[in-house]
Amino acid sequence: MATKNQASGGVSRQVLADHVYEALLVALMDGRLEAGTPVSIDGMARELDVSPTPVREALARLEATGMVRRMALRGYRVAPLFSPEELADLMDARLVIEPANAFMACKHADPQLTAQLEQAIEDLKAAPRGPSFAEFRAYWEADERFHRLIAESAHNQFLLSAYNALGGQVQRFRFFGGLGVTDADYAIAEHTEILKAFESGDPELAREKMVEHIEGVKQRSQHDSEVRS
Amino acid sequence: MATKNQASGGVSRQVLADHVYEALLVALMDGRLEAGTPVSIDGMARELDVSPTPVREALARLEATGMVRRMALRGYRVAPLFSPEELADLMDARLVIEPANAFMACKHADPQLTAQLEQAIEDLKAAPRGPSFAEFRAYWEADERFHRLIAESAHNQFLLSAYNALGGQVQRFRFFGGLGVTDADYAIAEHTEILKAFESGDPELAREKMVEHIEGVKQRSQHDSEVRS
DNA sequence: GCAGCGTAGATCCTATAGGAAATGCGATTT
DNA sequence: AAATCGCATTTCCTATAGGATCTACGCTGC
């Protein structure tokens, strides 16, 4: 058969558990798996037409991201949505990590990085902002890309791990669901300020602008929480 | 062989994957699993006298901690030991997260917390400091407990996740292997300074003392790296 | 002697089977 | 009527089997 095994090189054969992991992630972000609902191993295996073994492995990995919770002998369930207080805590944690990322990344800034950051801002401007999943997915992707670029450019694998551990990007994505993007104009302006700091090569300014940005996000998310409730 | 398990009590019904996880963790910290060596799923299953399924699940969880790395279709292998540069990066990341933890935890400080911190320092003083695993395990446990208490007392689940994501405690433990504890006196003094800041209820001072402590750890670990090589 | 090939073994990955516990539901009892 | 008990179904968990791929090693041929 040789269906698609490394014919083009680099595309190593995929493991079923990876597919299951991706499918679960999309289902979570899409809202098909609502917060609190149990995720049956056998049931998910039937639904995806695979055996329970890969599902079990995918869920074990997902648990580390905080998207699902596991209770021994009682299975997995989708983690509950954040309360406004937890959302504030998330922003406080981002306020600890991301300004440090910006400071360090700015010290390594080069034209390629600033170009990529600028591209992310442009994509942010161009993205639609509707309330449905398909609409704000592009917006979310550009926003996430901006912050991740900075986190990766700090060149510190541990800070990157810490950034990933927040899982804030995905959770925030879930939060958007049914609400849509409400702070695009502010976010674009603040991202641009951060980019300018990078272009001027001023790490302290980059840190400062990142603080201002996340504090803005925190305030606006609190406001959105009130609107939602 | 089907009759050897759960002969004890039967009250503590645990999942096999949890036992496998613990066994792997101990083996890693103990040095029985050296850096770089492959961890065969089937082989580990034979060694622990279980089926490969729980081993697979335990390894999927371990992968998230960074202790093992996975390559699709090629199995798991023990993550390499840190280079001095990576160790410095780890300390830089701790310098970002742990002072913030100390600041926030100090704002919630109560007599119970300070008592527990003091106990951790006392245990640190009492622990043996030899080069073998069994000897410095108690030292490591008391040190880890001190920092974890502060991380948990910050009352921010995301900062706690970030702290856990560093995996620094376990990795540092591995680093001690064959070297022993060399900086106990400094660490005890610095921990005491942090405790005093907590007792005086001065969050800014707590942050400052934590910075001094981790900078001290960073410098001394760099020195140890040179000795080791 | 050295390169190429083929077989055997090991390993990973997935599927299937079956035991044990938990959940749901209906009948019985107080 | 409410609570409790028992049974059936679901679900989790572990073991086992088998296919596919990679590695090791010996053999043949030049």
Side-chain angles (χ1 to χ4, degrees):
Chain A
M1 295 304 105
T3 51
K4 52 173 86 78
N5 44 353
Q6 71 217 57
S8 62
V11 194
S12 75
R13 224 168 31 107
Q14 280 258 5
V15 177
L16 253 185
D18 294 340
H19 284 154
V20 176
Y21 184 91
E22 290 294 327
L24 284 171
L25 210 58
V26 171
L28 282 164
M29 296 201 298
D30 204 346
R32 287 197 308 267
L33 285 179
E34 280 181 40
T37 55
V39 182
S40 157
I41 295 175
D42 292 345
M44 192 56 61
R46 282 192 297 271
E47 191 172 323
L48 298 178
D49 201 36
V50 296
S51 81
T53 311
V55 176
R56 179 172 292 276
E57 188 171 332
L59 282 171
R61 284 187 230 162
L62 260 185
E63 191 195 2
T65 72
M67 302 280 289
V68 298
R69 281 168 166 51
R70 163 178 171 272
M71 289 170 59
L73 300 175
R74 302 200 42 181
Y76 294 87
R77 50 181 50 236
V78 180
L81 266 185
F82 287 168
S83 67
E85 291 75 20
E86 287 172 312
L87 217 61
D89 282 350
L90 172 59
M91 294 308 159
D92 288 340
R94 290 183 68 190
L95 274 171
V96 170
I97 294 173
E98 297 210 41
N101 282 342
F103 182 85
M104 293 195 190
C106 188
K107 292 203 287 191
H108 304 134
D110 57 21
Q112 188 197 350
L113 175 60
T114 55
Q116 287 175 310
L117 290 176
E118 189 170 359
Q119 182 62 51
I121 295 176
E122 290 304 316
D123 294 344
L124 209 58
K125 291 178 185 171
R129 303 170 189 179
S132 83
F133 167 78
E135 285 172 313
F136 67 81
R137 167 154 208 165
Y139 179 90
W140 171 81
E141 192 276 327
D143 189 13
E144 150 80 359
R145 176 150 40 90
F146 183 86
H147 287 274
R148 180 162 298 278
L149 268 171
I150 293 175
E152 288 171 350
S153 300
H155 293 305
N156 184 317
Q157 58 169 309
F158 304 100
L159 278 176
L160 183 58
S161 294
Y163 174 80
N164 287 330
L166 293 187
Q169 309 309 321
V170 179
Q171 296 285 3
R172 207 154 45 79
F173 186 93
R174 291 173 64 197
F175 180 77
F176 279 163
L179 190 66
V181 178
T182 59
D183 66 343
D185 294 332
Y186 296 102
I188 289 169
E190 290 162 359
H191 280 203
T192 304
E193 286 294 312
I194 295 170
L195 173 60
K196 280 199 278 190
F198 270 71
E199 286 172 337
S200 67
D202 186 341
E204 198 53 62
L205 184 64
R207 184 212 302 272
E208 201 174 306
K209 291 302 177 185
M210 180 64 86
V211 168
E212 289 178 10
H213 171 46
I214 297 180
E215 280 181 343
V217 172
K218 178 179 176 181
Q219 286 181 6
R220 296 191 292 270
S221 71
Q222 292 301 101
H223 178 260
D224 286 351
S225 297
E226 292 165 13
V227 169
R228 176 192 289 274
S229 63
Chain B
M1 65 170 65
T3 59
K4 67 172 283 206
N5 39 0
Q6 89 231 39
S8 61
V11 186
S12 66
R13 166 114 174 104
Q14 272 240 359
V15 177
L16 255 186
D18 294 340
H19 283 157
V20 176
Y21 184 91
E22 290 294 328
L24 284 171
L25 212 56
V26 172
L28 281 165
M29 296 200 298
D30 203 347
R32 288 196 308 266
L33 285 178
E34 279 181 39
T37 56
V39 182
S40 158
I41 295 174
D42 292 345
M44 192 56 61
R46 282 192 298 273
E47 191 172 324
L48 298 178
D49 201 35
V50 297
S51 81
T53 311
V55 176
R56 180 174 292 277
E57 189 171 332
L59 282 171
R61 283 188 231 161
L62 260 184
E63 190 196 1
T65 71
M67 302 280 289
V68 299
R69 282 172 166 54
R70 163 179 171 271
M71 288 170 59
L73 300 175
R74 303 205 42 181
Y76 293 85
R77 50 182 47 235
V78 180
L81 266 185
F82 287 168
S83 66
E85 291 76 20
E86 286 173 313
L87 216 62
D89 282 351
L90 171 60
M91 294 309 159
D92 288 340
R94 290 183 67 189
L95 274 171
V96 170
I97 294 173
E98 298 210 43
N101 281 343
F103 182 85
M104 294 196 190
C106 189
K107 292 203 288 190
H108 304 133
D110 57 20
Q112 188 196 351
L113 174 60
T114 54
Q116 287 175 312
L117 290 176
E118 188 171 359
Q119 182 62 51
I121 294 176
E122 290 303 317
D123 293 344
L124 208 58
K125 289 178 185 170
R129 302 168 189 181
S132 83
F133 168 78
E135 284 172 313
F136 67 81
R137 167 155 208 164
Y139 179 90
W140 171 82
E141 192 276 327
D143 188 14
E144 149 80 1
R145 176 151 40 91
F146 183 86
H147 287 273
R148 179 163 301 276
L149 267 172
I150 293 176
E152 289 171 350
S153 300
H155 292 306
N156 184 317
Q157 58 169 310
F158 303 100
L159 279 176
L160 184 58
S161 294
Y163 173 81
N164 287 330
L166 293 188
Q169 309 310 321
V170 180
Q171 296 287 3
R172 206 153 48 77
F173 184 92
R174 291 173 65 196
F175 181 77
F176 279 162
L179 189 67
V181 178
T182 60
D183 66 344
D185 294 333
Y186 295 104
I188 290 169
E190 290 162 359
H191 280 202
T192 305
E193 286 294 312
I194 295 170
L195 172 60
K196 280 199 277 191
F198 269 73
E199 286 172 337
S200 69
D202 185 343
E204 198 54 61
L205 185 64
R207 185 212 301 273
E208 199 175 308
K209 291 301 178 185
M210 180 64 86
V211 169
E212 288 177 11
H213 172 46
I214 297 180
E215 279 180 344
V217 172
K218 178 178 176 181
Q219 287 181 5
R220 295 191 292 270
S221 72
Q222 292 302 101
H223 178 262
D224 286 351
S225 298
E226 292 164 12
V227 169
R228 177 192 290 273
S229 61

PDB file of all heavy atoms in Angstrom, chain A residues 89-111:
ATOM      1  N   ASP A  89      -7.101  35.614  38.086  1.00  0.00           N
ATOM      2  CA  ASP A  89      -5.873  34.937  38.495  1.00  0.00           C
ATOM      3  C   ASP A  89      -5.010  34.608  37.282  1.00  0.00           C
ATOM      4  O   ASP A  89      -3.777  34.728  37.321  1.00  0.00           O
ATOM      5  CB  ASP A  89      -6.218  33.645  39.248  1.00  0.00           C
ATOM      6  CG  ASP A  89      -6.653  33.919  40.670  1.00  0.00           C
ATOM      7  OD1 ASP A  89      -6.506  35.068  41.121  1.00  0.00           O
ATOM      8  OD2 ASP A  89      -7.137  32.980  41.340  1.00  0.00           O
ATOM      9  N   LEU A  90      -5.675  34.149  36.219  1.00  0.00           N
ATOM     10  CA  LEU A  90      -4.912  33.840  35.008  1.00  0.00           C
ATOM     11  C   LEU A  90      -4.172  35.066  34.506  1.00  0.00           C
ATOM     12  O   LEU A  90      -2.995  35.001  34.141  1.00  0.00           O
ATOM     13  CB  LEU A  90      -5.859  33.309  33.929  1.00  0.00           C
ATOM     14  CG  LEU A  90      -5.240  33.129  32.536  1.00  0.00           C
ATOM     15  CD1 LEU A  90      -4.072  32.156  32.581  1.00  0.00           C
ATOM     16  CD2 LEU A  90      -6.285  32.638  31.546  1.00  0.00           C
ATOM     17  N   MET A  91      -4.853  36.204  34.525  1.00  0.00           N
ATOM     18  CA  MET A  91      -4.194  37.423  34.047  1.00  0.00           C
ATOM     19  C   MET A  91      -3.059  37.830  34.974  1.00  0.00           C
ATOM     20  O   MET A  91      -2.028  38.307  34.519  1.00  0.00           O
ATOM     21  CB  MET A  91      -5.228  38.544  33.947  1.00  0.00           C
ATOM     22  CG  MET A  91      -6.286  38.287  32.883  1.00  0.00           C
ATOM     23  SD  MET A  91      -5.587  37.880  31.266  1.00  0.00           S
ATOM     24  CE  MET A  91      -6.977  37.047  30.517  1.00  0.00           C
ATOM     25  N   ASP A  92      -3.233  37.621  36.279  1.00  0.00           N
ATOM     26  CA  ASP A  92      -2.132  37.911  37.198  1.00  0.00           C
ATOM     27  C   ASP A  92      -0.918  37.043  36.886  1.00  0.00           C
ATOM     28  O   ASP A  92       0.224  37.514  36.936  1.00  0.00           O
ATOM     29  CB  ASP A  92      -2.590  37.671  38.645  1.00  0.00           C
ATOM     30  CG  ASP A  92      -3.569  38.742  39.112  1.00  0.00           C
ATOM     31  OD1 ASP A  92      -3.588  39.825  38.499  1.00  0.00           O
ATOM     32  OD2 ASP A  92      -4.309  38.488  40.078  1.00  0.00           O
ATOM     33  N   ALA A  93      -1.187  35.785  36.569  1.00  0.00           N
ATOM     34  CA  ALA A  93      -0.077  34.896  36.244  1.00  0.00           C
ATOM     35  C   ALA A  93       0.589  35.332  34.939  1.00  0.00           C
ATOM     36  O   ALA A  93       1.814  35.318  34.813  1.00  0.00           O
ATOM     37  CB  ALA A  93      -0.574  33.455  36.133  1.00  0.00           C
ATOM     38  N   ARG A  94      -0.223  35.724  33.981  1.00  0.00           N
ATOM     39  CA  ARG A  94       0.367  36.219  32.742  1.00  0.00           C
ATOM     40  C   ARG A  94       1.190  37.464  33.011  1.00  0.00           C
ATOM     41  O   ARG A  94       2.221  37.690  32.363  1.00  0.00           O
ATOM     42  CB  ARG A  94      -0.740  36.527  31.723  1.00  0.00           C
ATOM     43  CG  ARG A  94      -1.432  35.288  31.190  1.00  0.00           C
ATOM     44  CD  ARG A  94      -2.470  35.659  30.130  1.00  0.00           C
ATOM     45  NE  ARG A  94      -1.842  36.182  28.923  1.00  0.00           N
ATOM     46  CZ  ARG A  94      -2.520  36.754  27.932  1.00  0.00           C
ATOM     47  NH1 ARG A  94      -3.833  36.890  28.014  1.00  0.00           N
ATOM     48  NH2 ARG A  94      -1.900  37.189  26.861  1.00  0.00           N
ATOM     49  N   LEU A  95       0.736  38.281  33.954  1.00  0.00           N
ATOM     50  CA  LEU A  95       1.485  39.494  34.288  1.00  0.00           C
ATOM     51  C   LEU A  95       2.851  39.165  34.883  1.00  0.00           C
ATOM     52  O   LEU A  95       3.763  39.990  34.846  1.00  0.00           O
ATOM     53  CB  LEU A  95       0.686  40.346  35.282  1.00  0.00           C
ATOM     54  CG  LEU A  95      -0.327  41.299  34.652  1.00  0.00           C
ATOM     55  CD1 LEU A  95      -1.209  41.922  35.718  1.00  0.00           C
ATOM     56  CD2 LEU A  95       0.394  42.386  33.868  1.00  0.00           C
ATOM     57  N   VAL A  96       2.976  37.982  35.439  1.00  0.00           N
ATOM     58  CA  VAL A  96       4.277  37.590  35.974  1.00  0.00           C
ATOM     59  C   VAL A  96       5.194  37.117  34.854  1.00  0.00           C
ATOM     60  O   VAL A  96       6.370  37.475  34.792  1.00  0.00           O
ATOM     61  CB  VAL A  96       4.096  36.480  37.032  1.00  0.00           C
ATOM     62  CG1 VAL A  96       5.440  35.896  37.424  1.00  0.00           C
ATOM     63  CG2 VAL A  96       3.370  37.037  38.243  1.00  0.00           C
ATOM     64  N   ILE A  97       4.649  36.314  33.961  1.00  0.00           N
ATOM     65  CA  ILE A  97       5.498  35.605  33.003  1.00  0.00           C
ATOM     66  C   ILE A  97       5.723  36.406  31.720  1.00  0.00           C
ATOM     67  O   ILE A  97       6.857  36.534  31.244  1.00  0.00           O
ATOM     68  CB  ILE A  97       4.874  34.237  32.681  1.00  0.00           C
ATOM     69  CG1 ILE A  97       4.895  33.366  33.942  1.00  0.00           C
ATOM     70  CG2 ILE A  97       5.620  33.559  31.548  1.00  0.00           C
ATOM     71  CD1 ILE A  97       4.167  32.071  33.792  1.00  0.00           C
ATOM     72  N   GLU A  98       4.679  36.958  31.160  1.00  0.00           N
ATOM     73  CA  GLU A  98       4.825  37.509  29.812  1.00  0.00           C
ATOM     74  C   GLU A  98       5.671  38.785  29.756  1.00  0.00           C
ATOM     75  O   GLU A  98       6.416  38.965  28.785  1.00  0.00           O
ATOM     76  CB  GLU A  98       3.443  37.716  29.187  1.00  0.00           C
ATOM     77  CG  GLU A  98       2.710  36.388  29.023  1.00  0.00           C
ATOM     78  CD  GLU A  98       1.754  36.402  27.847  1.00  0.00           C
ATOM     79  OE1 GLU A  98       2.113  36.941  26.788  1.00  0.00           O
ATOM     80  OE2 GLU A  98       0.643  35.873  27.993  1.00  0.00           O
ATOM     81  N   PRO A  99       5.578  39.688  30.732  1.00  0.00           N
ATOM     82  CA  PRO A  99       6.507  40.823  30.675  1.00  0.00           C
ATOM     83  C   PRO A  99       7.970  40.378  30.718  1.00  0.00           C
ATOM     84  O   PRO A  99       8.818  40.959  30.030  1.00  0.00           O
ATOM     85  CB  PRO A  99       6.124  41.647  31.902  1.00  0.00           C
ATOM     86  CG  PRO A  99       4.694  41.331  32.122  1.00  0.00           C
ATOM     87  CD  PRO A  99       4.562  39.882  31.777  1.00  0.00           C
ATOM     88  N   ALA A 100       8.254  39.345  31.506  1.00  0.00           N
ATOM     89  CA  ALA A 100       9.627  38.826  31.521  1.00  0.00           C
ATOM     90  C   ALA A 100       9.993  38.269  30.159  1.00  0.00           C
ATOM     91  O   ALA A 100      11.117  38.472  29.664  1.00  0.00           O
ATOM     92  CB  ALA A 100       9.763  37.749  32.600  1.00  0.00           C
ATOM     93  N   ASN A 101       9.068  37.574  29.534  1.00  0.00           N
ATOM     94  CA  ASN A 101       9.309  37.087  28.175  1.00  0.00           C
ATOM     95  C   ASN A 101       9.624  38.243  27.237  1.00  0.00           C
ATOM     96  O   ASN A 101      10.563  38.168  26.430  1.00  0.00           O
ATOM     97  CB  ASN A 101       8.077  36.339  27.655  1.00  0.00           C
ATOM     98  CG  ASN A 101       7.980  34.932  28.218  1.00  0.00           C
ATOM     99  OD1 ASN A 101       8.957  34.383  28.722  1.00  0.00           O
ATOM    100  ND2 ASN A 101       6.792  34.355  28.130  1.00  0.00           N
ATOM    101  N   ALA A 102       8.825  39.293  27.322  1.00  0.00           N
ATOM    102  CA  ALA A 102       9.020  40.429  26.414  1.00  0.00           C
ATOM    103  C   ALA A 102      10.387  41.060  26.645  1.00  0.00           C
ATOM    104  O   ALA A 102      11.096  41.404  25.688  1.00  0.00           O
ATOM    105  CB  ALA A 102       7.910  41.463  26.631  1.00  0.00           C
ATOM    106  N   PHE A 103      10.763  41.180  27.908  1.00  0.00           N
ATOM    107  CA  PHE A 103      12.059  41.773  28.222  1.00  0.00           C
ATOM    108  C   PHE A 103      13.193  40.965  27.592  1.00  0.00           C
ATOM    109  O   PHE A 103      14.062  41.503  26.897  1.00  0.00           O
ATOM    110  CB  PHE A 103      12.226  41.842  29.739  1.00  0.00           C
ATOM    111  CG  PHE A 103      13.511  42.470  30.179  1.00  0.00           C
ATOM    112  CD1 PHE A 103      13.630  43.846  30.294  1.00  0.00           C
ATOM    113  CD2 PHE A 103      14.611  41.686  30.492  1.00  0.00           C
ATOM    114  CE1 PHE A 103      14.815  44.432  30.699  1.00  0.00           C
ATOM    115  CE2 PHE A 103      15.803  42.267  30.911  1.00  0.00           C
ATOM    116  CZ  PHE A 103      15.903  43.634  31.008  1.00  0.00           C
ATOM    117  N   MET A 104      13.144  39.675  27.790  1.00  0.00           N
ATOM    118  CA  MET A 104      14.236  38.834  27.273  1.00  0.00           C
ATOM    119  C   MET A 104      14.193  38.743  25.753  1.00  0.00           C
ATOM    120  O   MET A 104      15.241  38.754  25.093  1.00  0.00           O
ATOM    121  CB  MET A 104      14.140  37.433  27.880  1.00  0.00           C
ATOM    122  CG  MET A 104      14.399  37.418  29.382  1.00  0.00           C
ATOM    123  SD  MET A 104      14.710  35.761  29.999  1.00  0.00           S
ATOM    124  CE  MET A 104      14.653  36.056  31.759  1.00  0.00           C
ATOM    125  N   ALA A 105      12.995  38.619  25.207  1.00  0.00           N
ATOM    126  CA  ALA A 105      12.895  38.496  23.749  1.00  0.00           C
ATOM    127  C   ALA A 105      13.400  39.760  23.080  1.00  0.00           C
ATOM    128  O   ALA A 105      14.038  39.703  22.022  1.00  0.00           O
ATOM    129  CB  ALA A 105      11.445  38.219  23.349  1.00  0.00           C
ATOM    130  N   CYS A 106      13.142  40.900  23.685  1.00  0.00           N
ATOM    131  CA  CYS A 106      13.556  42.157  23.073  1.00  0.00           C
ATOM    132  C   CYS A 106      15.079  42.242  22.987  1.00  0.00           C
ATOM    133  O   CYS A 106      15.622  42.840  22.061  1.00  0.00           O
ATOM    134  CB  CYS A 106      13.008  43.336  23.868  1.00  0.00           C
ATOM    135  SG  CYS A 106      13.257  44.933  23.078  1.00  0.00           S
ATOM    136  N   LYS A 107      15.738  41.619  23.941  1.00  0.00           N
ATOM    137  CA  LYS A 107      17.204  41.640  23.893  1.00  0.00           C
ATOM    138  C   LYS A 107      17.736  40.825  22.714  1.00  0.00           C
ATOM    139  O   LYS A 107      18.859  41.041  22.256  1.00  0.00           O
ATOM    140  CB  LYS A 107      17.777  41.101  25.208  1.00  0.00           C
ATOM    141  CG  LYS A 107      17.489  42.033  26.373  1.00  0.00           C
ATOM    142  CD  LYS A 107      18.470  41.847  27.512  1.00  0.00           C
ATOM    143  CE  LYS A 107      18.219  40.560  28.262  1.00  0.00           C
ATOM    144  NZ  LYS A 107      18.995  40.505  29.524  1.00  0.00           N
ATOM    145  N   HIS A 108      16.944  39.872  22.249  1.00  0.00           N
ATOM    146  CA  HIS A 108      17.359  39.065  21.090  1.00  0.00           C
ATOM    147  C   HIS A 108      16.641  39.488  19.819  1.00  0.00           C
ATOM    148  O   HIS A 108      16.632  38.746  18.839  1.00  0.00           O
ATOM    149  CB  HIS A 108      17.065  37.588  21.340  1.00  0.00           C
ATOM    150  CG  HIS A 108      17.686  37.044  22.578  1.00  0.00           C
ATOM    151  ND1 HIS A 108      17.004  36.264  23.475  1.00  0.00           N
ATOM    152  CD2 HIS A 108      18.926  37.181  23.088  1.00  0.00           C
ATOM    153  CE1 HIS A 108      17.800  35.943  24.483  1.00  0.00           C
ATOM    154  NE2 HIS A 108      18.977  36.492  24.269  1.00  0.00           N
ATOM    155  N   ALA A 109      15.991  40.624  19.842  1.00  0.00           N
ATOM    156  CA  ALA A 109      15.158  40.997  18.697  1.00  0.00           C
ATOM    157  C   ALA A 109      15.996  41.166  17.432  1.00  0.00           C
ATOM    158  O   ALA A 109      17.121  41.666  17.474  1.00  0.00           O
ATOM    159  CB  ALA A 109      14.415  42.296  19.003  1.00  0.00           C
ATOM    160  N   ASP A 110      15.440  40.735  16.320  1.00  0.00           N
ATOM    161  CA  ASP A 110      16.071  40.941  15.020  1.00  0.00           C
ATOM    162  C   ASP A 110      14.989  41.282  14.008  1.00  0.00           C
ATOM    163  O   ASP A 110      13.793  41.144  14.310  1.00  0.00           O
ATOM    164  CB  ASP A 110      16.858  39.695  14.596  1.00  0.00           C
ATOM    165  CG  ASP A 110      15.984  38.458  14.555  1.00  0.00           C
ATOM    166  OD1 ASP A 110      14.754  38.612  14.448  1.00  0.00           O
ATOM    167  OD2 ASP A 110      16.511  37.352  14.633  1.00  0.00           O
ATOM    168  N   PRO A 111      15.370  41.729  12.820  1.00  0.00           N
ATOM    169  CA  PRO A 111      14.357  42.130  11.821  1.00  0.00           C
ATOM    170  C   PRO A 111      13.354  41.019  11.515  1.00  0.00           C
ATOM    171  O   PRO A 111      12.176  41.299  11.287  1.00  0.00           O
ATOM    172  CB  PRO A 111      15.212  42.467  10.600  1.00  0.00           C
ATOM    173  CG  PRO A 111      16.527  42.875  11.160  1.00  0.00           C
ATOM    174  CD  PRO A 111      16.735  42.030  12.378  1.00  0.00           C
TER     175      PRO A 111
END
